[in-house]
Amino acid sequence: MNKKKTIIMVRVNEYTSRELNKNIPFTPDEIAETARECEKAGASIIHFHARKSNGDPSHDPEVYLEIVSKIRERSSLIIDSTLGQITVKNTKERTSHIRKMKDQPMKRADMAALDVGSTNIDTYDYKTKKFLSTNKTYHNSIETCLSLANDMDNAGVKPHLTCWTLPFLRTADALIDMGIVKEPAFVQLAFCEGGILGGHPCTIDGALAFIRMMPVKKIIEWTVTCKGGNLIPAAAVALEHGGHLSPGIGDYAYPELKYPDNAKVVKFFANLSRGYGRDIANSDEARLMLGL
Ligand code: ZN
């Protein structure tokens, strides 16, 4: 059994609606309060998206900086920002907040998500036998990936490499090989359920396909997340094979846990990890493991 400590990154909001789970945090204060509660529950990293108070995506760099400074006031969590998903079209605009963080250590995120490939993220509805949208391609060319990684490196923000499919993982390997992403690299395997077909299913086999292709010659810490479904199957594989966990109500409402808040989800997965004989890493331990 693997005895390594587990890093829990809580994914608090994404661009998810409160119609799915009323506990989704939107404002900087709500996100910071969520950080405080999730740290107590066992998280060591918080991943967030800036939102307007009505829940719409916010791409205002000042809001990102405000969120980071408020999280730092209330917790010692490692802070991981989004670059905005398909909601920001221009490559340079996607790092406007990251570039602004450069000379402001208290307002600078420790890490940010870099999706290292392209995929279709439209949702298919098996009941109506229709796609709910037909043009949601999440487009990240190699040129885009290199530009984003470079902007992060210049700002002192470590990229976490999100992989939706195996070719993403091969690209992650190449970016580490180039030295543009430093070791230990942090790789996030993103599984897809709920009709999203652009990633592996969150099953034992979906997870093992990634793990069998993990670049063995690179120093990598890896974590699992699941968009649109319960993380448990991938979490079980990760806990067995030395991976880490990235749950949160931003990805899935968790009806199985009675639509909990983020801290309850963290607590659930922390207990699952302990059940596998793996203690939870605090934020200092996670910093060491990730080379921050
Ligand atoms: Zn995100």
Side-chain angles (χ1 to χ4, degrees), residues 26-214:
F26 290 161
T27 66
D29 282 302
E30 288 165 359
I31 294 170
E33 189 52 24
T34 300
R36 195 182 66 78
E37 290 166 1
C38 287
E39 183 169 34
K40 280 196 287 181
S44 47
I45 311 176
I46 178 171
H47 169 77
F48 74 94
H49 291 227
R51 308 277 293 262
K52 294 178 183 166
S53 50
N54 68 358
D56 287 347
S58 169
H59 301 304
D60 181 350
E62 288 304 331
V63 178
Y64 276 91
L65 272 63
E66 183 188 351
I67 293 169
V68 173
S69 71
K70 285 192 165 161
I71 295 173
R72 293 226 187 280
E73 279 167 22
R74 293 188 218 182
S75 82
S76 55
L77 290 183
I78 296 166
I79 302 175
D80 181 90
S81 170
T82 187
L83 300 185
Q85 209 184 43
I86 57 172
T87 47
V88 192
K89 295 290 176 212
N90 175 306
T91 303
K92 267 295 163 201
E93 252 176 66
R94 288 173 69 184
T95 55
S96 54
H97 56 305
I98 301 293
R99 285 178 283 123
K100 200 160 192 154
M101 289 168 180
K102 187 179 178 195
D103 300 314
Q104 307 185 66
M106 285 306 287
K107 295 182 176 179
R108 184 172 62 207
D110 301 281
M111 297 195 295
L114 175 60
D115 293 67
V116 288
S118 305
T119 189
N120 293 329
I121 57 173
D122 304 280
T123 300
Y124 181 68
D125 183 352
Y126 284 92
K127 278 187 200 140
T128 60
K129 298 189 184 295
K130 280 184 181 149
F131 278 96
L132 303 184
S133 64
T134 52
N135 58 0
K136 285 191 176 176
T137 299
Y138 188 16
H139 189 258
N140 297 291
S141 68
I142 296 296
E143 183 179 297
T144 300
C145 293
L146 294 175
S147 165
L148 298 175
N150 202 38
D151 283 354
M152 288 189 203
D153 197 35
N154 282 337
V157 174
K158 184 183 180 90
H160 92 240
L161 306 173
T162 302
C163 298
W164 294 59
T165 63
L166 283 172
F168 283 58
L169 192 56
R170 301 182 73 187
T171 305
D173 179 51
L175 296 179
I176 301 165
D177 203 61
M178 288 171 78
I180 194 165
V181 174
K182 311 277 185 304
E183 294 171 278
F186 191 40
V187 167
Q188 173 174 267
L189 309 176
F191 298 90
C192 295
E193 289 293 337
I196 309 169
L197 308 178
H200 293 206
C202 190
T203 58
I204 303 287
D205 285 343
L208 286 176
F210 266 127
I211 288 158
R212 288 179 182 134
M213 293 286 284
M214 194 63 71

